[in-house]
Amino acid sequence: MTTFQPLIATAASPRPQTTPNPARYPVAIIGAGALGLSFAARIARTLRVAVVARDRAAAARLCQGVRVGDSLFQPEAWAPEEAPQADWVIVLVKTGDTAAAARSAARMQPLGVLSLQNGLVEPVLQAHCPLPRVAQGITTTGAFRDASGVTPSGDGEVLVPPGFEELASMLARAGLDARVEDDIVPARLAKLLVNLAINPLAALFRVRNGELLEAPYRLWLDALVTEAWPVLCAEGLALDEAAAHARVRAVARATATNRASMLQDVLAGRPTELDAITGVLIELAARQGAAVPTHRAVHRLLSLVEAPAG
Ligand SMILES: NC(=O)c1ccc[n+]([C@@H]2O[C@H](COP(=O)([O-])OP(=O)(O)OC[C@H]3O[C@@H](n4cnc5c(N)ncnc54)[C@H](OP(=O)(O)O)[C@@H]3O)[C@@H](O)[C@H]2O)c1
């Protein structure tokens, strides 16, 4: 049990202007959602961790406590404009909020900023957080949230690029399966491949992942992989075409009963991460002069589904 006094920033009792800045946190997480809170609750067992929520009201609610797994977690939660300094900042907002999160991260004067988001967000992150060490890793851990709190759903890996050794050690000490991956680009592209095959299709057809392996969806799934494979290879993907198909099918099989995050977003009426996943692939293909008609069709159709009725 730490002797540290919780730094509670509530809307009801705003911190007086005269309160000195607290000491730097070793770790901060921007994005108090499913994965952010699940990581924060783990890290808080061994280290002080600041959680940066969307706004002051959200920070105040979190300070009262939130269920994470079977326990009540009372994070040291902050509004973005009051975020404290931190050595390492982990970004876990949805991709559409990356720019705002990156600006918050820059204000925290960290040694490094690591995104563990899906999609490819590193350029956006670096554009809005011009520090020397800003990069995107990957995680295969999972979590979901509903009105009752956050449920971590399975332990996976956390792979971080070189330069983030200290952060990887901190995460490992907290019990996360974290390590430095010297060649992060192929690993990131392999995860992107899986996401851009499964996620948009599941959301478009409103089916669970396993159904994508059956007719008629299987044709779409295979077409998305076939089109994406050469584009991602040109960017550094290190899978041959057969292995690319096998990887996507294996994930669909292993997560057969899951609802993909993009499907959950569509069902909840929230914006999806389509642009950071399929949108990025379309941009890469355009730059390479490659044709990705099925991805373009999926992007167009899902954008219509997402668009507010008007
Ligand atoms: N969940 C998983 O199993 C999983 C697994 C691997 C990767 N990922 C990736 O991890 C990222 C986060 O996913 P998630 O499922 O944790 O999403 P989530 O539950 O929607 O959490 C995101 C949180 O960030 C908050 N937020 C938005 N803008 C912010 C800002 N500018 N400053 C501070 N907080 C802000 C959101 O607030 P509001 O609630 O107000 O929107 C929300 O609480 C995504 O890129 C996702 O693809 C998720």
Side-chain angles (χ1 to χ4, degrees):
M1 190 65 194
T2 172
T3 54
F4 173 74
Q5 280 283 29
L7 298 156
I8 295 182
T10 66
S13 58
R15 189 178 302 101
Q17 289 294 318
T18 51
T19 301
N21 248 357
R24 280 170 77 87
Y25 283 79
V27 182
I29 292 180
I30 301 184
L35 212 53
L37 286 173
S38 149
F39 268 64
R42 290 285 282 268
I43 296 168
R45 293 178 200 161
T46 53
L47 284 174
R48 288 176 56 212
V49 53
V51 171
V52 180
R54 184 186 281 278
D55 54 30
R56 205 175 275 183
R61 278 194 304 276
L62 284 169
C63 287
Q64 306 303 311
V66 55
R67 180 188 64 77
V68 178
D70 295 331
S71 309
L72 184 74
F73 175 47
Q74 284 186 282
E76 296 174 26
W78 299 80
E81 62 272 26
E82 292 162 349
Q85 293 184 10
D87 289 342
W88 299 97
V89 175
I90 301 175
V91 175
L92 277 169
V93 297
K94 284 282 176 71
T95 51
D97 296 313
T98 304
R103 288 191 290 271
S104 297
R107 289 195 298 271
M108 297 169 82
Q109 301 176 31
L111 302 173
V113 178
L114 177 75
S115 159
L116 292 175
Q117 298 158 275
N118 279 329
L120 284 192
V121 297
E122 199 173 82
V124 179
L125 207 57
Q126 290 173 343
H128 293 271
C129 183
L131 298 173
R133 222 173 327 187
V134 178
Q136 185 174 6
I138 56 176
T139 183
T140 53
T141 55
F144 68 89
R145 65 173 169 145
D146 58 20
S148 77
V150 169
T151 306
S153 57
D155 281 339
E157 286 184 319
V158 181
L159 304 185
V160 310
F164 290 84
E165 288 77 6
E166 191 183 328
L167 179 59
S169 303
M170 289 172 167
L171 297 178
R173 277 205 302 281
L176 289 151
D177 183 6
R179 64 179 167 85
V180 175
E181 169 59 57
D182 289 334
D183 210 356
I184 198 77
V185 171
R188 214 159 51 195
L189 291 170
K191 178 137 201 243
L192 179 65
L193 172 76
V194 169
N195 280 330
L196 58 79
I198 293 177
N199 251 306
L201 275 194
L204 190 58
F205 294 116
R206 304 189 177 210
V207 295
R208 290 179 193 263
N209 293 356
E211 290 175 71
L212 298 175
L213 295 166
E214 311 297 333
Y217 315 114
R218 175 66 171 261
L219 282 175
W220 288 76
L221 190 73
D222 289 349
L224 290 179
V225 177
T226 300
E227 287 176 15
W229 175 73
V231 176
L232 297 181
C233 283
E235 302 294 323
L237 179 71
L239 293 174
D240 65 31
E241 189 171 0
H245 281 281
R247 172 77 61 100
V248 169
R249 289 172 196 157
V251 173
R253 215 171 290 120
T255 59
T257 58
N258 288 11
R259 281 202 178 100
S261 61
M262 224 179 260
L263 172 57
Q264 292 177 38
D265 288 338
V266 165
L267 293 176
R270 295 187 296 251
T272 72
E273 300 191 300
L274 184 67
D275 283 335
I277 296 177
T278 306
V280 161
L281 191 269
I282 292 171
E283 276 171 29
L284 293 173
R287 214 183 304 143
Q288 295 174 19
V292 286
T294 316
H295 289 278
R296 286 186 180 279
V298 165
H299 188 274
R300 180 83 186 112
L301 290 169
L302 205 48
S303 302
L304 290 174
V305 170
E306 256 193 83

